[in-house]
Amino acid sequence: MLRSLWTSASGMIAQQTHLDVVTHNLANVNTQGYKKRRADFEDLMYQIYREPGAPIEPASRVPTGIQVGLGTKVVATPSFMVQGNYQITDGSLDWAINGEGAFFQVDMGNGRIGYTRGGSWQIDDQGQIVDENGLLIEPAITVPENARSITLSPTGVVSVAVADEVELQELGQIQLARFVNPTGLRAVGDRLFVQTPASGDPIVGNPGEDGMPTVVQNVVEMSNVQVVEEMVEMIVAQRAYEANSKGIQTADDLLRIANGLKR
């Protein structure tokens, strides 16, 4: 009887985590470059009362056995690296990656490199291109003070028009990074991911070369969260939570009946 209480409790705990993931997705529905996550579940260990295939007579065996499971748990919350919708802007420093699986690089300091799909860049007081948290784009690019306009080519070449000159002045080359297993990256907030042993080493290259996607200007990539899908997931989590709570109530009722028996 007590086993059913703990089994239902594990289901409630798992559905609470499920709801946490769904609400985090909904909270970031307007976050540029955010990638939705999903809660994956697995069943817990089983108590074996009779092994499948156990012999019961010299010529026969148990066909299925008796195996009673002990509940569930969340085993993973993988992110979906599907590209989000584009939003057109008037910002010359609003850039987006035209394809899946690649990331902009930023210098996080201490030799650490962060990877992001967010493409809203700024210019700091030194003329360097930085993200909205002040992290330098990698490789670093510095814009001169007398620059009139900034141009980004599909292959990642950053150029500026300077003073009255007609010819564009090339400032630098953007490089993108991709991973064998991008879902293995660790999210650290601020729209940043960092490398892990699960993701593998970054494969760095210029946009449009060796399988890298191109980049576009005056565009930002929005979140890939679909509100309707998340609302359905929220209902599923709620109903599953209620069903597990009913299991606890039923087990409690059975215990109350057993405790009420008289000799």
Side-chain angles (χ1 to χ4, degrees):
M1 193 72 67
L2 291 177
R3 180 175 55 230
S4 60
L5 290 172
W6 290 108
T7 299
S8 294
S10 74
M12 294 177 72
I13 293 170
Q15 293 306 321
Q16 178 62 61
T17 304
H18 185 190
L19 184 60
D20 291 342
V21 173
V22 171
T23 53
H24 182 69
N25 287 339
L26 288 171
N28 286 280
V29 69
N30 289 321
T31 300
Q32 295 176 12
Y34 174 77
K35 301 304 176 187
K36 67 168 287 186
R37 290 184 173 272
R38 180 189 69 198
D40 288 345
F41 303 88
E42 71 176 11
D43 48 350
L44 296 179
M45 64 180 297
Y46 289 77
Q47 286 187 322
I48 308 299
Y49 292 94
R50 178 181 288 180
E51 285 284 355
I56 52 177
E57 291 183 4
S60 62
R61 295 180 180 276
V62 175
T64 59
I66 302 174
Q67 306 172 75
V68 180
L70 300 180
T72 185
K73 69 175 180 179
V74 175
V75 66
T77 56
S79 57
F80 286 77
M81 296 299 178
V82 177
Q83 186 170 349
N85 294 327
Y86 284 155
Q87 181 174 315
I88 306 299
T89 72
D90 294 326
S92 61
L93 286 173
D94 287 339
W95 304 338
I97 300 173
N98 188 21
E100 300 176 6
F103 301 86
F104 292 113
Q105 303 177 93
V106 295
D107 185 355
M108 300 176 64
N110 298 322
R112 299 180 68 204
I113 300 296
Y115 306 93
T116 180
R117 293 285 294 197
S120 292
W121 304 96
Q122 310 290 332
I123 299 176
D124 66 7
D125 59 341
Q126 304 296 319
Q128 302 173 107
I129 295 180
V130 297
D131 71 0
E132 292 172 315
N133 295 307
L135 299 179
L136 292 171
I137 193 170
E138 176 65 30
I141 298 175
T142 302
V143 179
E145 294 182 1
N146 58 347
R148 291 186 292 109
S149 63
I150 300 175
T151 302
L152 176 70
S153 74
T155 56
V157 177
V158 180
S159 305
V160 294
V162 178
D164 297 327
E165 294 182 11
V166 177
E167 295 292 330
L168 294 178
Q169 176 182 330
E170 186 175 315
L171 298 182
Q173 168 73 55
I174 290 176
Q175 290 188 320
L176 303 179
R178 56 186 172 90
F179 294 85
V180 174
N181 177 30
T183 58
L185 293 169
R186 182 164 67 89
V188 295
D190 297 330
R191 298 178 298 191
L192 293 175
F193 297 91
V194 294
Q195 175 188 347
T196 70
S199 68
D201 294 329
I203 303 169
V204 179
N206 296 335
E209 298 179 3
D210 300 325
M212 286 290 184
T214 56
V215 291
V216 290
Q217 190 177 21
N218 305 118
V219 169
V220 292
E221 180 186 357
M222 300 305 294
S223 166
N224 64 357
V225 173
Q226 298 294 326
V227 175
V228 173
E229 293 179 359
E230 299 307 314
M231 295 302 292
V232 171
E233 285 294 323
M234 185 180 296
I235 294 172
V236 170
Q238 179 183 1
R239 296 309 180 199
Y241 191 91
E242 290 177 355
N244 280 283
S245 70
K246 290 294 184 181
I248 290 179
Q249 292 175 6
T250 302
D252 181 56
D253 289 341
L254 295 178
L255 284 173
R256 177 177 55 80
I257 293 172
N259 289 334
L261 291 175
K262 296 183 179 179
R263 298 176 64 183

